[in-house]
Amino acid sequence: MKKRERTLILMEILSILRDGPRGPTRLAQATGLSFDKFMEFATLLDSRRFIAKSTSESHDIYFVTPEGNQLLLDWERLWTKISPNSR
């Protein structure tokens, strides 16, 4: 399996969360990462305030912040311009 770039994984997490909040296990599954590896990325995104975590009924739920949503929009605009399939 080809290794994905860190940036693409970060944007994938933001993209998934844009569709709605999710727990860490579901996010790890959706991204195809191990739980520990996912938590590394979640910690990074959380420390930069691109995602946030709330606790409901003893379960952590992650959601994208306005800053994270803006980052994702900017990334998508840039990706569209540089993507080989953009023309």
Side-chain angles (χ1 to χ4, degrees):
M1 176 187 252
K2 186 178 174 186
K3 185 175 176 181
R4 294 178 285 169
E5 292 293 324
R6 289 179 53 85
T7 305
L8 294 178
I9 295 170
L10 293 168
M11 293 306 111
E12 183 179 5
I13 293 168
L14 292 175
S15 179
I16 292 167
L17 288 175
R18 181 172 51 189
D19 293 335
R22 290 201 188 184
T25 301
R26 297 284 184 227
L27 280 165
Q29 291 170 342
T31 58
L33 298 171
S34 70
F35 185 81
D36 291 339
K37 193 53 128 172
F38 165 76
M39 290 306 296
E40 288 180 34
F41 286 103
T43 300
L44 174 65
L45 288 167
D46 187 38
S47 72
R48 302 256 171 28
R49 298 195 173 140
F50 294 126
I51 66 172
K53 176 175 65 171
S54 68
T55 304
S56 174
E57 299 177 12
S58 302
H59 296 348
D60 290 337
I61 302 293
Y62 288 95
F63 58 94
V64 68
T65 63
E67 293 86 356
N69 194 48
Q70 186 60 53
L71 176 65
L72 184 59
L73 289 171
D74 292 344
W75 171 255
E76 288 171 339
R77 266 188 234 110
L78 176 64
W79 186 253
T80 299
K81 289 182 180 188
I82 64 172
S83 174
N85 298 326
S86 65
R87 294 190 130 223

